[in-house]
Amino acid sequence: MRLPESQLAVVEAASATDPTAVDRLADETDLDPAAVTRAAFDLREEDLVTVDERIETDAELTDEARDYLDDGLPEVRLYRAAIEAGADDEPVSMGQLIGASDLGGPQVDIALSNFARKGYGSIDSGEVAADPDADPDSDPEAAAIEALSAGESVDDTDLLDQLERRELVEQSERTVREVTLTDKAVTALMEGIEAAETVDRLTPEMLTSGEWAEVEFAEYNVEADAPAVEGGRKHILRQTADRVKDVLVGMGFQEMEGPHADADFWINDCLFMPQDHPARTHWDRFALDVPGIQELPDQLVDRVESAHREGVGEDGEGYHSPWSRDFAEAVALRGHTTSLSMRYLSGFAGANVEPPQRYFSVEKVYRNDTLDPTHLLEFFQIEGWVLAEDLSVRDLMGTFEEFYKQFGIEDIQFKPHYNPYTEPSFELFGTHPTTGELVEIGNSGMFRPEVLEPLGIEADVMAWGLALERLLMLMYGFEDIRDVHGTLCDLELLRETEVVY
Amino acid sequence: MPVVDVDPDELRDLTGHDEKSDEELKEDLFNLGLEYEGETDDGELQLEFAPDRLDRLSVEGVARSLRYQYGDDRGIYVPDTNDADWTFHVDETVPEGRPYVTGAIVRDVNLSEDALDSLIQLQEKLHATMGRKRAKAAIGIHDLTMLKGQPYDEETDGPSITYRGVDPEGVSFVPLDADAEMTPAEVLEQHATGEKYADLVADFDRYPAIYDELGLFSFPPVINGRRTEVEAESRDLLIELTGTDQWTIDHICNIICYALSARGGTIEDVDIEYADAAAADDEYGANLVRPDFSVRTKSLGHDRIETVLGVDLDQNTVIDLFERSGLSASVGDDEAGDNDGVVYEVEIPPYRVDVLHPMDLVDDLGRAYGFNELEPRYPDVGTVGGRHERTRLEDAARASLVGLGFEDLLNFHMISAEANYDRLGIEPGSGVVGAGEPVEITGPYSEDYTQLRSWVLPSLLMVLENNTHRAYPQELAEIGLAAAVDEIENTNVAEWRSIGAVIARHDATYEDAKARLAALCDDFDATLETPPTEHPSFISGRVADVVVDGETVGVIGEVHPQVLVDHDLELPVAAFELRLDALR
């Protein structure tokens, strides 16, 4: 018979007649107790040993009990002070005794309650009378503490329980296993058992020499924790952006690309935003300290200016607002990626604008807004538009329903709204998948003729915009977007956030 | 978005629907696009709405819209006006920066405390929106009985007032909320309202003023005189508006006249005469009669309505929907012949400032029809989707970095000069990687965000700085925007995507960074060379140019201990940064 070394050691150390405890086997074999236990159970599988289990209770002294080893139990000290003061004769005032016995703090209460319990005397109206017949030298609790301290066992369970109630002893249970050899083991021992070699690691040499076939591999504790590893992972906001891009590409949208710093012409004027619109004041916009844009398509600029001043079409009216080319040329950080839509729809970006077309972008925009847990100065906007002949608001509703359905947001509601650049316009509301709350999830509409005609677009265009961060917060339930996006981010949060797919 | 406070009792009163509960009213209001936001301490409903229908900035306008919705009123309504008695004379001394005036007289108004509050609110909301905080239009409303008209001239004996310019210190009057006479200049310095609006007239040599025979009674756009203050007991009112655009002030005047008409007032015209014809608006000329209640007409084809709403409608339904929107419509001639003969001539009331194009009327029809009645449909339009080459490259590079064990990060493009240059030990314009000329923001939100970052490394070091309590190693990478001023660019701003990476751990070395950079370049079949260089952000002798396919595109090295200490880092950091387009 061949056995792994640890099992062989246990068989050799155990006896067929006297059950041997695991701890003792561990001492004799130089294995650790866990290894002995593991070996014993493996041997039991082979019917080579029996394993008996029983529960033993250990009692251990608390720090308080160790203090009493030197000073004596408080009630004993109180009794001795009482005898000294003659309280076996005449009751003595408690204050006097406490002073004499040098008891302090909580020990006073401990002394008084146990004094009476043990029949050392009585306490009445603040006077202590001592029983002359009591014998504190044979106090069983003191004796038990002494014994435990000396490493001896105390068998009186009532006494131990009493000491545990006094918080002088902590009792704990442990399983004691004893191993006894079976007849099969005895026979095998007599016939001789060989040790099988175990190895820690599989080495290249073992593989080439063929030695691997001869060895047993030492067992690992496969349940033990391994050291933590932080793998690389894509930022969760990027993951969310990629998911959005996947959905839009699947719906037939082409991606747009363009400058973050752009002329107000592309950001606002093309969108039929009057130059004195409150959103175009320095309060809302990040103007850049650089000269105006060098080149704008002049004919388009003229058509846009005309739309602002005169409107478009026979019955069109313009705004009654000032308009200057200088302001149109001023460079600012884009407040929305609709600037890209304008560049694409105008043909300036070189895109094909023969209907039908679908375009999108998921890119950063900049707003001079208040920085708080749900608003950042820069965030990602999902921008999309569809160019086709004879689009209706029903097509718009159907497109957005389909888009949001991909993110588990059903029952989109369309609230009629006003934007300077779309008509009709709708705010989109959706139900939060977990909280059931109605949240605004986007803004949409059909581009106005004043936007499209200067661009030379004759078909209809429906468009919408949405903050990616809002979708992220809906999907992940984050409360403060600053933990995720920006230099104040928390690496642990980014590392531990569950992947959403 | 504007919020208007509306007393529900007043609303029941003005609509004639006493039976409506507050809840019913809220629902009816939501259907108009007025969203219930809460209540004031006095139990008024706070309603938020998009800033197009400025005629709904008071309870009178909201009630009018509800009456149309309920079908109590139909079609366009224009109040009758009485002939002019008063003249507004506009003198040549009027400041060029505020040339226009308009107004009206309203008699026998049934004012009360509530009605007066509503009028004041309307005035304030119109100032805030269409009036562009009084810069474009300012409204003054006066108790007519406190005014004494000047005889206009020898031939006409009608009363008049004069809009003129005055020496800021040459006249004095008692403004509202004051007990003593002040000159206009003193108002701007000493009166709370004056201080608030001082900027609007600060550049003027002469300040705008309106006079009657007794003297100055209005100092637009700043404050009225106390003499003509309107009380709840006032019955006859004079309205004057000044501003930078005749159309704008005329239309705000219309909205106020409609609100006062709903309070039982009778509108009376005023004559407006510009002494200097050149100062008057070309479109209207030097002699005007106001308020201008002329009705605009726009034509709209039946086909276009059906296309935009995506439903079939018969003509009677369309006309009915127009009338329920407070418009009037008739079937007109299809001169162009491209609408199958059906074109509606739609009349638009003078309080509608939002209708610029016939498309705006389609929106009115849709709201009256109920957009929620429309069935969504997925458009039957086939297109091919795809990603832009630039973002595909970025994604591929990001996937390589993540595969190399970097945690992908996302930082702000805006940064401070201190974080971008000073704490990295570099000077803008010094020629090293990261030292591009700053693209500065004219009115930054805070001193932490004053420019666009010129490289990514400072952002990554700030993340390390803010996460010293988190487990190491910290191996971070970001591909993001960087920018610098560059006159070559059309926008004068060069923008590019930059790859930044940092390895922060107790034994990080140049070699660790180089190994990963080499692996990244390998993925894109790019040839990497790292000739020695000097860069203040890195340890001398442990820093190299990143040269990809023969072109210098970045820097790699061990971050300088001074930079680490300045970021409160207590372990070495190896780093590299290069332009993403080097991997193309």
Side-chain angles (χ1 to χ4, degrees):
Chain A
M1 178 177 278
R2 286 163 71 103
L3 285 177
E5 277 176 11
S6 59
Q7 292 182 25
L8 178 58
V10 169
V11 169
E12 287 174 339
S15 139
T17 49
D18 299 325
T20 316
V22 164
D23 283 350
R24 234 184 85 200
L25 290 172
D27 284 345
E28 289 181 16
T29 57
D30 246 3
L31 294 167
D32 73 58
V36 171
T37 307
R38 216 160 47 229
F41 283 126
D42 288 342
L43 290 165
R44 187 171 68 176
E45 291 290 306
E46 304 295 325
D47 285 332
L48 293 168
V49 299
T50 58
V51 180
D52 298 313
E53 296 186 358
R54 64 171 198 279
I55 307 294
E56 278 194 0
T57 305
D58 284 346
E60 198 169 330
L61 293 180
T62 64
D63 290 344
E64 186 183 342
R66 292 188 194 285
D67 291 341
Y68 297 157
L69 278 173
D70 298 333
D71 304 342
L73 292 169
E75 63 272 21
V76 175
R77 287 162 63 189
L78 181 66
Y79 181 78
R80 293 196 199 289
I83 295 296
E84 196 107 325
D88 48 344
D89 219 16
E90 281 283 317
V92 178
S93 91
M94 201 186 304
Q96 183 189 337
L97 287 182
I98 287 166
S101 63
D102 205 21
L103 290 166
Q107 289 186 347
V108 175
D109 285 338
I110 294 170
L112 292 174
S113 59
N114 289 297
F115 184 84
R117 177 173 65 82
K118 291 184 176 173
Y120 287 175
S122 58
I123 300 157
D124 189 24
S125 314
E127 305 256 279
V128 178
D131 177 355
D133 300 330
D135 179 11
D137 290 333
S138 62
D139 187 299
E141 293 178 13
I145 290 170
E146 292 274 351
L148 287 173
S149 145
E152 296 160 20
S153 66
V154 174
D155 296 332
D156 183 342
T157 53
D158 288 345
L159 183 59
L160 285 173
D161 289 346
Q162 170 63 33
L163 286 171
E164 185 164 44
R165 279 197 293 277
R166 283 190 70 175
E167 296 180 1
L168 297 179
V169 157
E170 278 171 9
Q171 299 189 80
S172 58
E173 292 184 339
R174 67 188 168 95
T175 306
V176 174
R177 296 194 177 85
E178 289 178 327
V179 178
T180 314
L181 294 181
T182 60
D183 292 346
K184 183 179 170 188
V186 175
T187 312
L189 272 175
M190 287 192 294
E191 287 169 359
I193 304 176
E194 280 178 52
E197 188 185 353
T198 66
V199 296
D200 246 10
R201 278 170 189 275
L202 180 61
T203 63
E205 291 76 23
M206 283 180 204
L207 286 168
T208 48
S209 67
E211 188 194 345
W212 62 268
E214 307 297 320
V215 301
E216 295 238 2
F217 293 97
E219 285 176 26
Y220 293 155
N221 177 3
V222 292
E223 288 174 314
D225 288 333
V229 182
E230 295 307 338
R233 77 188 292 200
K234 197 182 276 187
H235 192 278
I236 44 183
L237 193 52
R238 291 275 185 210
Q239 291 180 32
T240 311
D242 288 353
R243 170 110 192 275
V244 170
K245 291 180 184 185
D246 280 351
V247 166
L248 289 170
V249 168
M251 289 171 73
F253 285 77
Q254 282 275 350
E255 190 174 21
M256 299 184 286
E257 162 74 10
H260 293 239
D262 207 352
D264 247 67
F265 179 73
W266 295 113
I267 304 172
N268 285 312
D269 290 296
C270 282
L271 279 171
F272 200 50
M273 293 276 282
Q275 290 195 344
D276 66 352
H277 191 280
R280 296 187 69 172
T281 63
H282 64 282
W283 301 110
D284 275 39
R285 168 176 172 270
F286 285 118
L288 295 177
D289 190 14
V290 294
I293 197 164
Q294 294 165 18
E295 187 202 339
L296 287 174
D298 287 327
Q299 289 185 342
L300 178 58
V301 174
D302 290 346
R303 290 197 301 268
V304 167
E305 177 177 356
S306 164
H308 279 251
R309 292 190 186 281
E310 315 293 338
V312 301
E314 272 182 32
D315 285 343
E317 294 171 54
Y319 286 124
H320 300 270
S321 294
W323 199 94
S324 84
R325 178 151 178 154
D326 281 351
F327 191 9
E329 288 175 349
V331 174
L333 293 175
R334 61 190 182 201
H336 45 214
T337 39
T338 320
S339 57
L340 302 182
S341 302
M342 296 299 105
R343 282 172 165 265
Y344 273 66
L345 280 167
S346 70
F348 196 69
N352 180 357
V353 284
E354 277 302 305
Q357 299 291 336
R358 288 184 171 94
Y359 275 92
F360 83 97
S361 71
V362 183
E363 290 287 334
K364 261 197 183 171
V365 298
Y366 307 81
R367 298 266 171 98
N368 200 347
D369 205 338
T370 308
L371 199 53
D372 65 31
T374 56
H375 294 90
L376 296 176
L377 304 182
E378 42 187 281
F379 56 92
F380 284 85
Q381 183 183 336
I382 304 168
E383 165 94 9
W385 49 268
V386 180
L387 164 71
E389 305 287 354
D390 295 336
L391 287 173
S392 87
V393 295
R394 291 178 57 198
D395 297 311
L396 176 150
M397 292 170 169
T399 297
F400 305 144
E401 275 202 347
E402 193 58 40
F403 174 77
Y404 288 106
K405 206 190 284 178
Q406 304 297 317
F407 298 91
I409 301 166
E410 311 248 2
D411 303 331
I412 298 278
Q413 291 185 27
F414 296 86
K415 183 181 159 223
H417 187 59
Y418 166 76
N419 297 314
Y421 38 90
T422 51
E423 185 79 304
S425 311
F426 302 94
E427 278 185 315
L428 309 180
F429 288 82
T431 310
H432 192 291
T434 48
T435 66
E437 211 180 336
L438 200 63
V439 280
E440 190 198 329
I441 51 172
N443 191 349
S444 68
M446 317 269 290
F447 277 135
R448 292 183 68 95
E450 292 92 335
V451 174
L452 294 177
E453 280 202 31
L455 295 171
I457 300 291
E458 288 173 1
D460 294 327
V461 179
M462 62 194 207
W464 91 111
L466 158 76
L468 178 68
E469 278 80 349
R470 191 172 287 252
L471 195 60
L472 174 97
M473 292 175 93
L474 279 180
M475 285 168 69
Y476 288 86
F478 291 131
E479 280 169 11
D480 192 338
I481 189 65
R482 292 170 294 191
D483 288 342
V484 179
H485 186 173
T487 51
L488 291 173
C489 70
D490 182 352
L491 283 182
E492 191 167 276
L493 179 81
L494 291 176
R495 285 167 173 173
E496 291 183 352
T497 300
E498 184 185 347
V499 174
V500 173
Y501 51 89
Chain B
M1 291 206 286
V3 174
V4 60
D5 301 337
V6 167
D7 180 340
D9 292 332
E10 287 241 291
L11 204 51
R12 280 184 277 265
D13 206 27
L14 286 163
T15 55
H17 282 268
D18 290 343
E19 80 288 356
K20 290 272 181 187
S21 69
D22 282 8
E23 288 310 312
E24 286 172 296
L25 283 177
K26 281 179 205 167
E27 196 180 322
D28 297 339
L29 290 166
F30 187 86
N31 291 333
L32 282 180
L34 293 144
E35 203 173 330
Y36 171 77
E37 287 285 302
E39 279 179 25
T40 65
D41 295 340
D42 302 333
E44 296 191 332
L45 312 177
Q46 294 176 299
L47 305 171
E48 188 188 62
F49 66 107
D52 54 341
R53 291 296 299 269
L54 301 180
D55 56 296
R56 292 174 178 160
L57 283 169
S58 71
V59 65
E60 297 86 359
V62 173
R64 180 174 52 241
S65 291
L66 279 178
R67 286 183 58 80
Y68 280 121
Q69 185 189 338
Y70 295 154
D72 297 338
D73 287 334
R74 300 183 76 80
I76 189 169
Y77 166 72
V78 181
D80 292 331
T81 61
N82 291 335
D83 289 344
D85 183 22
W86 286 71
T87 302
F88 288 13
H89 179 71
V90 187
D91 165 317
E92 286 102 337
T93 59
V94 162
E96 277 176 33
R98 203 167 187 86
Y100 302 114
V101 66
T102 195
I105 305 271
V106 186
R107 293 187 190 271
D108 302 323
V109 183
N110 183 20
L111 280 189
S112 61
E113 290 296 340
D114 286 343
L116 184 57
D117 286 349
S118 172
L119 182 62
I120 291 168
Q121 174 177 241
L122 176 63
Q123 196 176 342
E124 283 173 0
K125 302 286 178 186
L126 286 168
H127 276 149
T129 52
M130 212 173 157
R132 305 290 192 239
K133 297 180 178 153
R134 301 194 191 183
K136 198 173 187 178
I139 308 157
I141 302 179
H142 308 271
D143 188 333
L144 185 67
T145 55
M146 301 308 291
L147 284 163
K148 185 166 192 294
Q150 302 157 320
Y152 176 56
D153 57 27
E154 281 124 30
E155 291 148 41
T156 353
D157 57 357
S160 77
I161 56 174
T162 306
Y163 179 38
R164 51 180 289 196
V166 293
D167 178 346
E169 284 156 1
V171 60
S172 57
F173 71 108
V174 183
L176 286 175
D177 306 318
D179 295 322
E181 290 204 341
M182 297 181 181
T183 65
E186 284 168 344
V187 168
L188 300 191
E189 282 165 21
Q190 296 166 20
H191 193 287
T193 312
E195 287 171 28
K196 191 171 171 191
Y197 294 101
D199 287 351
L200 295 177
V201 294
D203 294 340
F204 295 171
D205 296 332
R206 296 183 306 275
Y207 287 174
I210 306 179
Y211 276 66
D212 67 352
E213 193 170 67
L214 302 178
L216 190 160
F217 68 92
S218 177
F219 172 26
V222 181
I223 198 161
N224 289 347
R226 211 175 92 174
R227 165 161 57 99
T228 58
E229 183 172 4
V230 176
E231 313 271 356
E233 295 73 29
S234 301
R235 289 294 169 266
D236 296 341
L237 307 178
L238 179 138
I239 301 160
E240 44 85 3
L241 292 97
T242 60
T244 57
D245 179 73
Q246 186 75 47
W247 185 95
T248 302
I249 56 176
D250 283 345
H251 281 78
I252 294 179
C253 184
N254 291 350
I255 290 173
I256 295 171
C257 288
Y258 265 80
L260 291 171
S261 166
R263 295 287 182 182
T266 304
I267 314 295
E268 180 178 306
D269 288 342
V270 298
D271 288 322
I272 294 173
E273 306 206 340
Y274 287 89
D276 177 6
D281 188 295
D282 291 345
E283 192 179 334
Y284 307 105
N287 297 304
L288 321 176
V289 178
R290 288 295 183 263
D292 178 8
F293 282 173
S294 57
V295 170
R296 290 174 294 159
T297 305
K298 294 193 192 296
S299 42
L300 178 60
H302 187 84
D303 277 3
R304 191 63 187 143
I305 297 168
E306 290 192 332
T307 303
V308 173
L309 298 183
V311 287
D312 294 333
L313 298 166
D314 65 46
Q315 289 180 34
N316 290 335
T317 307
V318 172
I319 288 175
D320 176 59
L321 291 172
F322 275 128
E323 290 182 347
R324 277 166 47 200
S325 309
L327 304 163
S328 292
S330 55
V331 176
D333 292 331
D334 177 21
E335 284 165 23
D338 53 4
N339 279 292
D340 289 344
V342 182
V343 169
Y344 302 98
E345 296 297 327
V346 186
E347 293 181 315
I348 300 148
Y351 58 83
R352 287 293 296 272
V353 294
D354 58 312
V355 181
L356 300 182
H357 191 278
M359 193 59 146
D360 294 308
L361 304 171
V362 181
D363 184 55
D364 276 18
L365 284 181
R367 289 177 193 240
Y369 182 86
F371 279 116
N372 285 323
E373 302 297 316
L374 300 177
E375 185 71 25
R377 69 173 176 215
Y378 193 75
D380 183 16
V381 172
T383 54
V384 177
R387 296 285 299 279
H388 194 279
E389 185 264 347
R390 202 273 302 159
T391 69
R392 278 188 281 131
L393 171 64
E394 184 179 321
D395 282 0
R398 184 170 288 119
S400 286
L401 289 165
V402 166
L404 288 165
F406 287 107
E407 296 177 58
D408 176 41
L409 285 186
L410 186 55
N411 289 305
F412 297 137
H413 299 159
M414 290 188 281
I415 197 170
S416 68
E418 190 196 0
N420 190 69
Y421 303 114
D422 303 351
R423 297 175 75 208
L424 275 292
I426 60 172
E427 300 264 348
S430 59
V432 296
V433 170
E437 291 288 352
V439 178
E440 288 174 321
I441 292 155
T442 312
Y445 173 81
S446 84
E447 58 188 21
D448 292 334
Y449 307 104
T450 57
Q451 64 165 85
L452 291 178
R453 64 182 179 186
S454 58
W455 57 334
V456 169
L457 188 57
S459 307
L460 293 176
L461 286 170
M462 285 160 82
V463 174
L464 290 176
E465 179 180 24
N466 291 326
N467 281 280
T468 51
H469 57 305
R470 296 306 185 201
Y472 286 100
Q474 293 177 6
E475 304 188 0
L476 316 176
E478 177 175 9
I479 305 178
L481 187 88
V485 171
D486 189 346
E487 287 163 12
I488 303 280
E489 299 291 333
N490 190 21
T491 58
N492 301 300
V493 175
E495 300 177 13
W496 66 95
R497 294 307 200 278
S498 197
I499 303 173
V502 292
I503 300 167
R505 57 168 205 243
H506 68 95
D507 57 354
T509 64
Y510 175 84
E511 198 180 45
D512 298 313
K514 170 101 187 246
R516 284 165 175 77
L517 176 60
L520 175 68
C521 290
D522 232 26
D523 276 354
F524 290 86
D525 197 22
T527 308
L528 172 68
E529 292 165 276
T530 52
T533 190
E534 287 298 329
H535 191 297
S537 307
F538 297 90
I539 298 173
S540 186
R542 299 182 177 191
V543 53
D545 284 329
V546 173
V547 178
V548 172
D549 296 334
E551 201 181 329
T552 302
V553 292
V555 66
I556 178 170
E558 290 182 15
V559 176
H560 198 282
Q562 185 62 52
V563 175
L564 298 178
V565 169
D566 286 349
H567 287 81
D568 292 331
L569 295 173
E570 295 177 347
L571 77 186
V573 175
F576 61 81
E577 169 133 6
L578 73 157
R579 295 175 63 106
L580 171 67
D581 54 16
L583 300 178
R584 287 172 78 166

